[in-house]
Amino acid sequence: MKNNDWSISKTWNELLTEDYPVKPRNYIRASEVGKAYLDRYLSMKGVKPTNPFDPRIKRIFDCGYIFEDVVERIFRLVGILIDTQKTITVKTPNMLDVIGHYDYKVGGKINPEQAREAIANTTSSWIKERATKLLEELLKKYSNGMKKLIAETKSVNSRSFWSHKNQDPETGFFRGYDHHKLQLYTYLLGDNEEEGRLFYCSKDDLTLMETAVFLNQTELKEKWMNDVATTTKFFNSNKEPDKEPDIVFN
């Protein structure tokens, strides 16, 4: 490039691949529950990864934050966003704390005039059109208000999203991953909410599907307790877990 030309690509790409410092900690992140014990153990002990994610993978992760922000913005405009990024801490006797931040709590009764005004004032025509249609549909279907839910948005590659084996036979929706359900279960447990919702978005075509998670799901509770107890045992004994097979998202 000539000296008088300008470019943003280098700065943009570096912003999407920044590493966070690794520091020892004595708690489990909510997003780690259900994932590999060894990776979690090393992270909690402050061990820097010897095989970090390459820049392309980091940018793929960053795409997830974009989907999360778009969904949050639309929820806010239509008037169902109650709270966002609330810190949740789950304390269980003789086990490590589990700490995280849920994406959002949504629901309640919509104020139509306020929502229409907020949507009219947004500068994005893409957001405006979708928020308007969602608002009118919600007002029609839930005129008496909506149940409060804790929600998480997850983006998934289209091959996994549309794979027949990943569809719930009852709903026909993407069935979701256990570690996402356990993460959301953590927030339900810590905030004493009965129900949560995983909103899965296909990265390639923006289709959205839902997976419900409930506080009274016995199977999830047992998985959560076993996971946290096992992690606590490894951490307190300073015993490094064996390497497990990588989770394959397919």
Side-chain angles (χ1 to χ4, degrees):
M1 279 190 181
K2 297 178 182 179
N3 290 335
N4 61 345
D5 287 340
W6 65 272
S7 171
I8 66 169
S9 58
K10 184 176 185 297
T11 303
W12 175 281
N13 292 333
E14 288 175 348
L15 284 170
L16 298 188
T17 58
E18 287 183 325
D19 285 317
Y20 294 101
V22 178
K23 298 179 181 179
R25 53 184 164 87
N26 61 350
Y27 63 88
I28 304 166
R29 293 193 178 105
S31 59
E32 294 174 325
V33 181
K35 291 186 177 180
Y37 290 115
L38 177 59
D39 293 345
R40 197 182 328 178
Y41 175 88
L42 294 175
S43 176
M44 293 169 66
K45 292 296 183 179
V47 178
K48 189 175 181 178
T50 56
N51 187 27
F53 293 116
D54 66 40
R56 179 177 175 274
I57 296 299
K58 291 178 182 178
R59 293 189 187 100
I60 290 174
F61 290 157
D62 223 65
C63 288
Y65 296 117
I66 296 173
F67 284 96
E68 180 184 322
D69 286 347
V70 169
V71 173
E72 178 185 325
R73 187 175 176 187
I74 291 176
F75 284 168
R76 187 183 299 276
L77 288 170
V78 301
I80 61 171
L81 184 68
I82 298 170
D83 195 8
T84 181
Q85 296 299 322
K86 179 180 177 180
T87 301
I88 298 294
T89 301
V90 180
K91 293 182 176 291
T92 309
N94 303 315
M95 292 197 289
L96 295 173
D97 291 350
V98 184
I99 302 175
H101 308 80
Y102 59 61
D103 284 350
Y104 14 72
K105 184 179 289 187
V106 292
K109 191 172 177 61
I110 297 172
N111 182 320
E113 292 75 19
Q114 191 176 64
R116 291 188 182 109
E117 181 181 358
I119 293 170
N121 289 332
T122 190
T123 57
S124 168
S125 58
W126 189 93
I127 293 283
K128 184 178 295 185
E129 179 182 359
R130 284 149 184 81
T132 298
K133 290 181 178 179
L134 180 61
L135 171 64
E136 298 308 325
E137 187 66 19
L138 293 179
L139 289 173
K140 183 167 58 178
K141 292 178 67 175
Y142 308 107
S143 57
N144 294 322
M146 303 164 64
K147 180 190 298 184
K148 293 180 181 179
L149 303 171
I150 292 178
E152 287 283 304
T153 296
K154 304 294 184 183
S155 56
V156 183
N157 73 74
S158 61
R159 179 179 295 181
S160 296
F161 190 87
W162 292 111
S163 173
H164 179 72
K165 64 182 178 181
N166 288 336
Q167 307 305 308
D168 187 297
E170 294 184 6
T171 64
F173 282 1
F174 182 75
R175 68 171 75 241
Y177 296 122
D178 275 357
H179 62 283
H180 290 158
K181 296 175 184 177
L182 291 168
Q183 178 185 359
L184 182 51
Y185 183 82
T186 301
Y187 303 144
L188 298 180
L189 192 61
D191 211 43
N192 198 31
E193 288 288 349
E194 295 181 356
E195 184 177 348
R197 199 66 52 83
L198 287 167
F199 294 114
Y200 281 105
C201 290
S202 170
K203 288 181 180 178
D204 298 315
D205 54 44
L206 295 183
T207 302
L208 185 144
M209 293 186 181
E210 305 174 37
T211 298
V213 174
F214 300 93
L215 184 61
N216 64 0
Q217 285 181 262
T218 303
E219 181 182 1
L220 270 184
K221 180 179 180 181
E222 290 176 353
K223 286 182 178 180
W224 191 94
M225 293 293 290
N226 179 67
D227 183 281
V228 176
T230 303
T231 304
T232 300
K233 179 180 177 181
F234 283 128
F235 184 84
N236 288 342
S237 65
N238 288 311
K239 180 182 178 182
E240 187 174 302
D242 294 330
K243 182 172 175 56
E244 304 163 79
D246 293 332
I247 297 175
V248 179
F249 303 112
N250 57 17

